[in-house]
Amino acid sequence: MVVQQADPQDELATRLRLLQRLSGRGVRALARDTGLSSSSLSRYLSGQSVPPWPVVIELCRLVKRDPRPLRPLWDRATNPLPAPPKTSRQVQPPSPAAGAPRLPRNDLPRDMPDFTGREAQLAAVLAVVESSRVVAIDGMAGVGKTCLAVHAAHRLAAEYPDAQLYLDLHGFTDGREPLDPDSALRALLAALGVPSEKVPQEGGVEPLAACWRSELAGRRAVVVLDNAAGADQVRLLLPGAGPSVTLITSRNRLLGLEEVPPVSLDVLTPKESAELLARASGDPSGPDGRLARDPESAAEVLRLCGHLPLALRLAGARLRHRPGWTVGILVERMTEGMSEFDTAFAMSVRQLDRAERRLFGLLGLLSGSSFDEYVAAALADVPLRSARAMLEDLLDAHLIQQPSAGRYTLHDLVHQHARRAVAEQDSPVGREQALGRVLDYYVHAAAAADAAMPYVSGSRAASAGRPPAELPQFTDKHAALGWFVTEYTNLMDAFEVAVVTGADVHACELPRFMRTFFARRCGTTHLNVLFERSLAAAQRLGDPRHLAEAHSDLGFARYNAGRMAEAAAAYEAAAPLVSQAGDTRSEADLIMRRGYLRWDEGYVEEPLDLFRLAGKLYADAGCPMGAAHATAYQAWAMLQLGHREEAARLAREVLDIAHAEPTWPAALTARITLGMAIAHEQSDEAAEHLHQALELAREDGHRHNEAWCLNCLGVALRQMGRYEEALASHRQAFTLLDELFEEHWKIHFLNGYGETCRLAGLPDEALRLHRQALELAPKVGYRHKEALAHEGIAAVLDETDPAAAAEHRAAGQAIRQELKAGA
């Protein structure tokens, strides 16, 4: 067995870190007191470099320690013995967290095949990662920070097999605010495969950070956080306990992260620059190569590129694709008075044809997120085929990047150059028109994606702007949902642009086409904010139809968030506007929503009448799916009133309607209603309907509906006398609700769960659940649920405390009388 001796440099660094702890000072304070720079001291403490002996003496002096015992160790560190031959390293098997996805996420950009130099920096990064798990790579723009981080991440991938994640924080993206920690954490959790229902929707950024650390704790993942603006942007993104590692890049030294060792990059050496230029240009080695034949011009190219890897690659790409050029011609194209960055970018752009140059400049108007060929076609107002061909040429010229199939990005520096180019080549009117076409595209594409997803009454066609010539084809709801997930950031950017530029029709319509997506992937908080701003846009427009829909949509968002009084006020504001607009389907939508609200408030006859009226209006408007949904809710209301046969008849009527999408809402509601209506008499068929509804909800990815199905299944199983199965179903429902972070939803299920517990012989648990409902119901305005809670408590206390039971039963009856009088 070979015994691996400790590296004297690492051992010295360990001793120095002990001195730091004894001093009680942070890195910056210790650097100040010793007269060192923070970056130099960080390198000494992390073992990246050996400090001069006087520095060791000064550190020992600060903590009153004798430096002489450290001298032999310092001598070995400064004059190391030859390293023994490297042996193959055993990679430990992964230890994924419970529930981690079977296929690990790897969204690292492609490793550069011409990666050149940086041996010492790469070794430093890998050493810091092994000891500290987090490293910050800093340096000037274009110096190759991202390239080094990605290269190191690829080297680490085998040791961290659970996930390899990459996130651009846009700390230095021109025209775009840096990604805030909230958005960054949500993006990272989504990339890690964390279900959206486990991601906190409220409480600020701290719960998100805790969720992120918790998810990383049991995984071996490598995370690249690229282009950080500063320490505050990344502090909450760092891992906590566990083996995962993080590589951060920034143009600034992240002095605020004292615990994170830095690795600073400078420009390449002349030798490394020459090697990279030769590789990027495809120049053959030896005296016959163009670079070798004209060494003076080659040296001038290196100087003009500032020995920056990004500029060198762009210059090399031009030479590779112009076999007729000499290196002298390349120099001539690069010496037209521009900066070291712009010379390389402009030189590449000038080799494009006119249409490609125009598209390149227009891409500078985009926010900086990834985009696809459809956006490019809309931006330049060209056919999709032309846009695709031009993007390929830009890709070959290294002016855009392709992080994944069909998605494109611009490097920050290239993006800045494109923005300057479009300002020079296009008038303000032309730029405004191009942005308008992008807004048109996103509204109409969102409408097409929404149409592919099941909704109550179908989607209205988009009216904002001009429909683009070509849109993505959404073959099914899964393709549509995937598009929404991919384009989410761009859709939010488009909404912001619409608000800022006064494109009020776009600001009104875009949130409407995202409602179905939000129901499956996002909480209600963000949707409420979007519809508040959408209403403001509608008010500026003054159009009755847009105003009516905006009030109605905001009311529905308020209702789903448990803000009942605000929902009622919004519906009240929408009602006269709907009549004024004369839109029958919008009127039906509003009446259905008012029915949901009144039912949850505890009223009975009025909601039933509203559902019937909505069904008639949907039929008059030629919307059979809306009419079917209204019928399904009539069935549900009849069931709650105890009219089981009528409820079952109406539910079967809905299920007899043919529909291509089995998870469309009317069928789901009808199947649940039918299962509960026949649970007493036809238990096997009832269970089949309820289990089918549950599977459909799960397949649809709608977690709220899944919880609803589980609760109803629990109630039906209780009615069949199958108490243990009923309790298990209720518990699953509440596990989902806990993961959704929307407590108000529990009011729908608490009393039913409590009743099951009482009948299953769990009186204490039943009492706890009914009391929880009694506390929650007044907060969200569910008076009927409040009455049920009193009655449930009374049923539990009948045998142990008859007096208290009578008080609760009387309170429940009083609320019912109040509701009856109010109706």
Side-chain angles (χ1 to χ4, degrees), residues 633-808:
Y633 259 87
Q634 290 176 48
W636 175 257
M638 296 299 287
L639 175 65
Q640 308 310 308
L641 291 171
H643 306 309
R644 293 178 174 274
E645 291 185 3
E646 179 64 9
R649 184 189 68 78
L650 291 171
R652 292 186 191 277
E653 182 181 313
V654 173
L655 292 175
D656 286 340
I657 299 173
H659 196 284
E661 173 54 62
T663 61
W664 68 297
L668 191 70
T669 303
R671 202 169 290 281
I672 292 171
T673 302
L674 180 57
M676 296 184 71
I678 63 175
H680 286 290
E681 299 83 9
Q682 304 170 59
S683 58
D684 290 343
E685 183 185 351
E688 182 180 352
H689 282 298
L690 290 164
H691 281 294
Q692 285 180 0
L694 178 59
E695 290 307 311
L696 291 174
R698 285 172 172 165
E699 191 275 334
D700 192 34
H702 198 310
R703 296 305 227 176
H704 294 84
N705 281 347
E706 183 180 349
W708 183 33
C709 290
L710 283 165
N711 181 73
C712 292
L713 178 60
V715 172
L717 289 169
R718 175 232 297 162
Q719 293 172 351
M720 300 174 195
R722 295 157 62 175
Y723 296 130
E724 289 302 318
E725 295 173 72
L727 289 170
S729 190
H730 283 300
R731 288 170 186 143
Q732 290 181 57
F734 273 78
T735 298
L736 277 178
L737 292 175
D738 286 336
E739 293 171 351
L740 287 169
F741 292 95
E742 292 185 325
E743 286 293 308
H744 63 276
W745 262 80
K746 291 183 178 179
I747 194 60
H748 296 287
F749 310 141
L750 283 165
N751 287 310
Y753 188 9
E755 178 67 4
T756 301
C757 287
R758 183 180 71 83
L759 293 175
L762 301 172
D764 292 342
E765 181 68 6
L767 196 60
R768 183 188 68 81
L769 291 166
H770 287 307
R771 283 175 173 163
Q772 187 178 346
L774 187 60
E775 179 182 357
L776 181 59
K779 294 179 182 178
V780 293
Y782 283 59
R783 297 286 285 158
H784 179 59
K785 302 294 185 183
E786 187 178 353
L788 288 176
H790 278 297
E791 291 164 359
I793 293 172
V796 176
L797 296 178
D798 270 336
E799 294 184 4
T800 59
D801 193 344
E807 289 181 10
H808 279 286

Side-chain angles (χ1 to χ4, degrees), residues 567-579:
Y571 292 157
E572 193 70 25
L577 293 165
V578 167
S579 299

